[in-house]
Amino acid sequence: MTLGALPQTVEVRTLAAREVTLAGVLDPIKLLRFSSAIVAVKQPVVVNADFYRDEEGRYIVSVQVTAEVQVTCQRCLGALERTVASSALLAVVWTDEQAAQLPPRYEPLVAEAEIDFWEVVEDELLLALPSFSYHSNTNCGAETGVQAPGSGDAAVSGSPEKENPFDVLKALKGDVDK
Ligand SMILES: [Zn+2]
């Protein structure tokens, strides 16, 4: 099945009243906050959203988002593949007071008639993104002594003044070689 592009602006209560399901993909380049939090995204973000009303008449969005991303390993600063996935039950409310009264199973979505649905997706992705990511030991450049491609420059330029203990080792080795 080929998914179409996810619409950006949706009338969230109208969709819930009609019990619409929106499934689509989203180019991560359009999600600036999310793009800047990671190294790269190779695949479009996949989104599935069911809009409906619950027994109490609330307007609900059940949303699932998945993204295949590259993040930075905090140990070796190399790139690391990660799947970021999130699912949430959002209840549409008009005010913060209404948001505070929601049952705990719902996250509030404060909205007028229309919402920027891409922003909702982006918020979910940012929440699901782990704060720290590491390679498993066997793949990590810090463990094997091999830097992942492209990470060397960033590591060096990050601390130009600081003396690198490996440079000392290199110098020692150089002396031995001579
Ligand atoms: Zn690593």
Side-chain angles (χ1 to χ4, degrees), residues 61-85:
V61 189
S62 173
V63 61
Q64 287 90 41
V65 296
T66 312
E68 303 290 335
V69 302
Q70 275 191 356
V71 293
T72 302
C73 171
Q74 299 300 310
R75 211 155 37 193
C76 71
L77 302 180
L80 165 66
E81 307 279 325
R82 265 289 156 91
T83 301
V84 177

Side-chain angles (χ1 to χ4, degrees), residues 26 30 52 55 69 103 121 123 127 173-174 178:
L26 180 48
K30 289 162 178 160
Y52 61 94
E55 299 78 41
V69 302
V121 169
D123 286 342
L127 282 174
K173 270 185 105 179
K178 276 169 213 161

Side-chain angles (χ1 to χ4, degrees), residues 28-174:
I29 285 182
K30 289 162 178 160
L31 306 178
L32 288 179
R33 286 178 298 145
F34 183 62
S35 311
S36 64
I38 56 179
V39 177
V41 200
K42 291 181 165 174
Q43 308 280 336
V45 179
V46 179
V47 181
N48 189 89
D50 294 308
F51 298 78
Y52 61 94
R53 301 190 73 174
D54 71 2
E55 299 78 41
E56 284 84 38
R58 294 184 193 92
Y59 297 89
I60 306 299
V61 189
S62 173
V63 61
Q64 287 90 41
V65 296
T66 312
E68 303 290 335
V69 302
Q70 275 191 356
V71 293
T72 302
C73 171
Q74 299 300 310
R75 211 155 37 193
C76 71
L77 302 180
L80 165 66
E81 307 279 325
R82 265 289 156 91
T83 301
V84 177
S86 163
S87 61
L89 269 183
L90 308 172
V92 185
V93 294
W94 295 101
T95 64
D96 289 338
E97 289 76 52
Q98 288 176 334
Q101 287 161 14
L102 284 173
R105 67 179 180 279
Y106 292 128
E107 290 173 33
L109 176 59
V110 181
E112 301 291 325
E114 292 185 333
I115 59 163
D116 183 337
F117 196 46
W118 292 1
E119 210 168 282
V120 173
V121 169
E122 184 165 35
D123 286 342
E124 290 302 320
L125 287 171
L126 285 168
L127 282 174
L129 197 65
S131 323
F132 298 101
S133 297
Y134 300 100
H135 288 114
S136 64
N137 283 356
T138 46
N139 296 326
C140 188
E143 297 293 320
T144 61
V146 179
Q147 289 271 335
S151 67
D153 293 344
V156 171
S157 63
S159 53
E161 251 74 79
K162 229 170 158 186
E163 205 178 17
N164 185 338
F166 292 105
D167 288 341
V168 177
L169 282 175
K170 260 186 230 159
L172 288 173
K173 270 185 105 179

